Amino acid sequence: MANGWARDGAVQDQIDDSINDAVRTARASMPAGESPAHCDACGEPIPEARRKALPGVRTCVTCQSARDRTRVHSGINRRASKDSQLR
């Protein structure tokens, strides 16, 4: 496949790097250790099943869902589009 000046496989390398970064970020944000009995955010009890499934979890399902909705992505543009080069 002709990609101009890019070598063969460069596009796949960018895709692989994006996936690896996302996996690394997800693993780094996973909780570890012993879970408290009550949510750090609202004080409600954290169910035993949740504490066993996710060791180190510090929030209840409701609070974690709210945090996940507000999480920001890294914003790295690996495609090097012309728009990003002009800014």
Side-chain angles (χ1 to χ4, degrees):
M1 182 172 139
N3 287 327
W5 295 103
R7 65 173 177 71
D8 288 342
V11 173
Q12 186 61 48
D13 289 345
Q14 289 177 345
I15 294 168
D16 292 342
D17 288 343
S18 294
I19 291 170
N20 289 336
D21 285 348
V23 169
R24 233 179 276 116
T25 300
R27 285 184 177 158
S29 66
M30 288 180 67
E34 189 172 336
S35 301
H38 292 84
C39 176
D40 285 351
C42 69
E44 292 294 318
I46 299 173
E48 180 68 26
R50 178 168 169 76
R51 290 186 282 144
K52 284 184 180 179
L54 295 168
V57 70
R58 306 200 60 82
T59 55
C60 65
V61 174
T62 304
C63 292
Q64 185 63 49
S65 295
R67 288 178 62 192
D68 289 346
R69 282 191 297 274
T70 61
R71 187 161 289 164
V72 177
H73 298 288
S74 67
I76 297 172
N77 179 4
R78 295 187 192 283
R79 295 183 301 178
S81 68
K82 290 180 183 176
D83 289 342
S84 68
Q85 293 172 2
L86 295 173
R87 293 180 194 176

